[in-house]
Amino acid sequence: MKGMEIVGLGKALPGVRLENEELKEYMDTSDEWIRTRTGIGSRYLCTGEESLTELASGASLKALKDANVRPEEIGLVICATCTTDYMVPSMACAVQEILGIPGGVPAFDINAACSGFVYGLQLVNALMRGGDACRGKRKYALLIGGEQLSKMLDFSERSVSVLFGDGAAAAVVRASEEKRFYCHTAAEGDRSALYAHTVGRNQIPESAYEGRQVVPENPLQIRQETAEKILRDGYLQMDGKKVFRFAVKALAGEIEEMELRSGICAEDIDYIVCHQANVRIIDYVRKQKKLPEGKFFMNLREYGNTSGASIPLALADMKEKGLLRPGTRIFCVGFGAGLTWGGCYLEF
């Protein structure tokens, strides 16, 4: 199958790096407890002055520079995120504005959580091949994966909050007659496994505003106890055992799916780049399939789980390390809330 290729990559990280030991100030935990259960050593968190829009724009500018592509050559903008700064407009439109990408092209967000970048690649390919995106002089697509998960974390509770971090990465993509591309995405609706509720301003109890009466007569008639539950559910909630079982099955299944579609065995692929969620998930599948450690590129220790930014951050790091040489072949696998999962085969 003729497909597409990634021609530029860039990443952007917040200014604050938080080591495991520093989390002891906020919760009952330790570096040893976190590392042995997750493989994570640190994560980056946005300060009050930083936003996901800034990270996504910064990563995109670096990707454009890496690809030697101008904003006016971009014919499609997609942002994979579940933590956008705005309910409206989309993060993609905000990035389009900041980068000065001329109007008249599609720009939108997708929310497939940790599978978002793989979903995005499939959409880019479909819109390039079967839609009207990336035509004429605007033949490139900009695909961004970015998250500010820190705003959904309860830092008094360790089981979830130690896992996640913030960051963004972007890829410049173009159609290719030489590079093959295969992709598979899927979902199984399950709200209880991993979720966080949206909190509307008029759902927040007045007590949250230090006694100021913000909505004197709220027609929604939200009771105080209901409002407090809405606030609690705004934090990320996860059924750890359920998610682990799902992730192991999804990762193993998508490796097999990519082997079937590409005709290349996992033993012969150069790298498997999977969502960086937990080292125990990856080790379980690696041992099950009898694959060497070096087959899986890992940067989990540095960033933690960055959801939709996870896979593009890994690809950007690989580019910096000189691992993405011409001819490099990769399986990418994402799995996350939804529940969603997906895999793709990329050639560089």
Side-chain angles (χ1 to χ4, degrees):
M1 175 185 176
K2 296 176 181 178
M4 63 184 191
E5 61 178 325
I6 293 175
V7 295
L9 288 159
K11 68 178 184 181
L13 298 167
V16 173
R17 176 176 173 173
L18 199 65
E19 303 286 346
N20 287 343
E21 281 296 319
E22 296 177 82
L23 288 173
K24 292 196 298 185
E25 298 181 29
Y26 312 99
M27 66 191 77
D28 178 20
T29 193
S30 68
D31 179 64
E32 181 184 9
W33 190 91
I34 298 170
R35 284 180 189 272
T36 56
R37 287 164 175 78
T38 69
I40 297 168
S42 63
R43 73 285 296 146
Y44 289 82
L45 304 179
C46 289
T47 65
E49 290 73 38
E50 295 172 308
S51 71
L52 181 57
T53 304
E54 292 172 349
L55 292 180
S57 301
S60 298
L61 285 170
K62 291 177 182 177
L64 289 172
K65 183 177 180 181
D66 185 48
N68 194 27
V69 169
R70 301 184 307 277
E72 53 267 31
E73 295 178 274
I74 297 296
L76 171 66
V77 185
I78 299 177
C79 184
T81 182
C82 60
T83 56
T84 179
D85 288 334
Y86 308 99
M87 294 300 292
V88 288
S90 69
M91 186 71 68
C93 285
V95 171
Q96 181 185 23
E97 177 187 20
I98 291 170
L99 268 60
I101 296 172
V105 300
F108 59 92
D109 294 350
I110 56 171
N111 180 354
C114 309
S115 310
F117 192 78
V118 175
Y119 268 65
L121 287 170
Q122 188 177 56
L123 276 170
V124 167
N125 187 59
L127 289 169
M128 281 181 168
R129 293 287 174 182
D132 60 355
C134 303
R135 294 287 187 260
K137 295 181 179 179
R138 304 180 71 171
K139 62 182 180 180
Y140 298 94
L142 177 63
L143 175 60
I144 308 157
E147 303 287 7
Q148 189 181 347
L149 293 156
S150 58
K151 61 188 176 186
M152 296 197 300
L153 302 179
D154 178 359
F155 284 100
S156 67
E157 197 283 315
R158 69 179 181 178
S159 63
V160 175
S161 58
V162 301
L163 300 173
F164 296 94
D166 303 336
V172 176
V173 184
R174 71 180 176 195
S176 173
E177 299 303 312
E178 293 80 32
K179 307 292 185 181
R180 294 187 301 159
F181 173 77
Y182 302 95
C183 192
H184 170 258
T185 54
E188 180 180 340
D190 188 334
R191 289 177 292 172
S192 65
L194 183 58
Y195 72 92
H197 278 289
T198 298
V199 179
R201 187 171 179 84
N202 59 4
Q203 293 176 306
I204 300 175
E206 294 169 9
S207 58
Y209 291 97
E210 300 178 354
R212 291 188 293 114
Q213 197 168 15
V214 179
V215 187
E217 295 180 4
N218 189 338
L220 301 181
Q221 297 295 308
I222 296 173
R223 299 167 60 187
Q224 182 73 18
E225 55 266 34
T226 303
E228 290 173 357
K229 183 180 186 303
I230 290 168
L231 281 175
R232 288 195 304 272
D233 287 348
Y235 290 126
L236 198 60
Q237 315 285 325
M238 182 173 69
D239 182 335
K241 291 181 180 179
K242 190 173 189 178
V243 169
F244 184 90
R245 291 193 298 269
F246 154 70
V248 165
K249 181 180 178 182
L251 176 54
E254 284 306 311
I255 291 174
E256 293 169 7
E257 185 72 30
M258 289 304 105
E259 287 179 315
L260 180 65
R261 295 190 180 217
S262 68
I264 303 172
C265 294
E267 292 86 349
D268 299 324
I269 206 76
D270 293 299
Y271 295 101
I272 298 172
V273 181
C274 54
H275 166 51
Q276 307 287 296
N278 189 313
V279 71
R280 292 194 298 179
I281 294 169
I282 297 167
D283 280 347
Y284 187 95
V285 174
R286 180 182 62 79
K287 292 173 183 177
Q288 182 186 67
K289 294 190 171 296
K290 298 181 174 60
L291 294 169
E293 286 188 40
K295 187 71 67 175
F296 290 80
F297 179 82
M298 299 286 291
N299 60 3
L300 176 68
R301 183 192 178 282
E302 176 79 6
Y303 305 127
N305 183 339
T306 56
S307 190
S310 177
I311 289 176
L313 273 174
L315 293 174
D317 279 359
M318 293 176 76
K319 182 73 177 287
E320 289 181 358
K321 294 175 184 293
L323 300 178
L324 300 182
R325 295 182 288 272
T328 300
R329 301 174 300 178
I330 289 177
F331 289 163
C332 291
V333 181
F335 43 86
L339 297 164
T340 64
W341 65 97
C344 68
Y345 168 78
L346 294 171
E347 292 182 347
F348 286 85

